[in-house]
Amino acid sequence: MKAFTNINVSSIDEAVSAATQASSNGQSVAFSGGGTDLLQQLKDGTDTSDVVINLRNVDGAKEISSASGITRIGGLITLDELSNSGLNDVLTQAAASVGTPQIRNVATLSGNVTQRPWCWYYRNGFNCYKAGGDECFSVTGENQQHAIYGGGPSYIVHPSDLAPALAALGASFIVAGPDGERTVNANDFFVMPSQDPARENSLASGELLVGVSLPTPAANSVSHYHKIMDREAWTHAEVSVAAVLTMNGEIIESASIVLGGVATVPWKLTAVESYLVGRQLSADVVTMAGQMAIAGARPLAKNGHKVPMTSAAVERTLLALVNG
Ligand SMILES: Cc1cc2nc3c(=O)[nH]c(=O)nc-3n(C[C@H](O)[C@H](O)[C@H](O)COP(=O)(O)OP(=O)(O)OC[C@H]3O[C@@H](n4cnc5c(N)ncnc54)[C@H](O)[C@@H]3O)c2cc1C
């Protein structure tokens, strides 16, 4: 394992200053939330940062506050705290679905959203796009768990369970860096490999995610997160669906449906959303939504199973909303 310097900080400003200082010394930097992923990457050598800036003791960085129709969530909130926060169902269910109780007790919202891909080529030291190389080995290799949407030139799937839930809720991502704070919507935060195959988000060097803000949900909104895994628990999604609907009685007024586990970024099903508006969630409508969801799917040689799985996951998510 490569030696690195650990810096414990107690404020976001201190974190930004420490990152700026390290960069000006020519050192690479990683921020650490709960460390549930980063520490293993440091041990495995897939993260070779010179300096680790530990955010765990940053004051006030895990609070939830609401004002003027906006709820702000501090990025250092743990997934366990988030799952028990009483916020939107889709978000608390997504948080509760991550890993194990031990992981959720320390893992943070920011770390979850910014975790690196879990493609086995990247995680096992292959010099792929994500490791700074110029090849995606999954294209002709083991691609059972890779993307069926938004692939090329890299085919990783975005690994975060919170990301599709936050995208479905219309979250903005609050980023701090040397130039102060900026707020970015999901479309601009998550980066397709066609834009930059080495990265999954638009955080610049020295920038960190400090939290998210969400429009406070309308009283007539309902939401649900459904996750299918290749085993019963403790792992990432094969396919997941985050759905947020606003209802006028039994009629859908607006719909936001985002897939996880199947695309290089949280994958918004715009055509399905438009189709649902003005309709009731009848059996036929749910079936049609499931079919429409897979219209743009482009499976690789070994991940065709994700196509019917996605269709079924969309159906099950909508049925869960019908059945409460
Ligand atoms: C057995 C196991 C099962 C898992 N299952 C799931 C799962 O089901 N779903 C899922 O989504 N994840 C899963 N994970 C992945 C991961 O542990 C969790 O996503 C966790 O939420 C990461 O949060 P953390 O705070 O521990 O991140 P860390 O390990 O601290 O960091 C993860 C990455 O994010 C970066 N980072 C951390 N904080 C910031 C910040 N504020 N700004 C910018 N970058 C930052 C780090 O540099 C690092 O690259 C699993 C991990 C394990 C080991």
Side-chain angles (χ1 to χ4, degrees):
M1 180 174 148
K2 182 184 161 228
F4 62 86
T5 303
N6 182 73
I7 302 179
N8 296 325
V9 293
S10 57
S11 72
I12 297 296
D13 285 350
E14 248 184 70
V16 171
S17 300
T20 308
Q21 180 66 49
S23 300
S24 67
N25 295 339
Q27 294 172 303
S28 55
V29 169
F31 295 102
S32 176
T36 59
D37 182 17
L38 180 65
L39 291 185
Q40 192 60 49
Q41 282 211 278
L42 289 164
K43 285 183 194 164
D44 292 344
T46 49
D47 189 305
T48 55
S49 298
D50 301 309
V51 175
V52 171
I53 299 177
N54 184 354
L55 304 170
R56 197 179 294 213
N57 298 322
V58 170
D59 283 337
K62 51 157 66 183
E63 271 147 31
I64 300 175
S65 58
S66 288
S68 310
I70 300 289
T71 299
R72 181 172 166 141
I73 310 171
L76 267 288
I77 191 167
T78 67
L79 301 184
D80 182 62
E81 289 163 338
L82 191 57
S83 68
N84 290 305
S85 63
L87 292 170
N88 318 62
D89 286 348
V90 67
L91 190 55
T92 56
Q93 290 163 354
S97 80
V98 174
T100 62
Q102 290 88 341
I103 287 172
R104 294 194 294 275
N105 276 337
V106 287
T108 64
L109 179 153
S110 287
N112 185 268
V113 170
T114 56
Q115 64 180 290
R116 301 301 318 274
W118 286 68
C119 167
W120 46 72
Y121 290 109
Y122 168 58
R123 294 277 170 162
N124 284 295
F126 284 76
N127 191 30
C128 66
Y129 285 112
K130 298 298 177 184
D134 57 5
E135 190 173 352
C136 177
F137 295 90
S138 75
V139 178
T140 53
E142 298 305 317
N143 50 42
Q144 287 87 338
Q145 289 176 317
H146 288 73
I148 59 171
Y149 303 88
S154 161
Y155 286 83
I156 60 99
V157 291
H158 197 283
S160 164
D161 276 301
L162 294 189
L166 290 167
L169 288 165
S172 295
F173 295 80
I174 305 161
V175 172
D179 298 326
E181 206 172 89
R182 64 189 177 96
T183 299
V184 194
N185 66 29
N187 267 349
D188 295 325
F189 186 78
F190 297 105
V191 169
M192 299 264 291
S194 54
Q195 292 169 263
D196 183 349
R199 303 187 51 79
E200 301 81 51
N201 60 56
S202 59
L203 288 174
S205 165
E207 283 190 327
L208 68 152
L209 181 63
V210 294
V212 293
S213 59
L214 309 170
T216 304
N220 57 344
S221 102
V222 288
S223 68
H224 188 68
Y225 187 72
H226 182 72
K227 174 173 173 181
I228 300 176
M229 296 171 276
D230 67 356
R231 54 180 189 258
E232 279 290 307
W234 301 4
T235 189
H236 292 85
E238 277 286 316
V239 178
S240 70
V241 183
V244 182
L245 305 180
T246 54
M247 307 297 295
N248 181 1
E250 294 194 347
I251 305 292
I252 300 168
E253 263 181 2
S254 71
S256 182
I257 317 274
V258 180
L259 300 177
V262 283
T264 51
V265 293
W267 196 253
K268 197 161 171 60
L269 294 176
T270 315
V272 175
E273 292 171 350
S274 304
Y275 168 73
L276 289 172
V277 171
R279 292 187 155 85
Q280 290 186 25
L281 282 175
S282 65
D284 286 349
V285 165
V286 166
T287 304
M288 178 58 83
Q291 285 307 307
M292 289 176 74
I294 55 175
R298 300 282 176 273
L300 298 162
K302 297 180 180 174
N303 65 1
H305 62 280
K306 286 197 173 193
V307 177
M309 212 180 246
T310 300
S311 185
V314 169
E315 289 186 29
R316 284 185 205 170
T317 309
L318 294 174
L319 286 173
L321 289 171
V322 180
N323 300 327

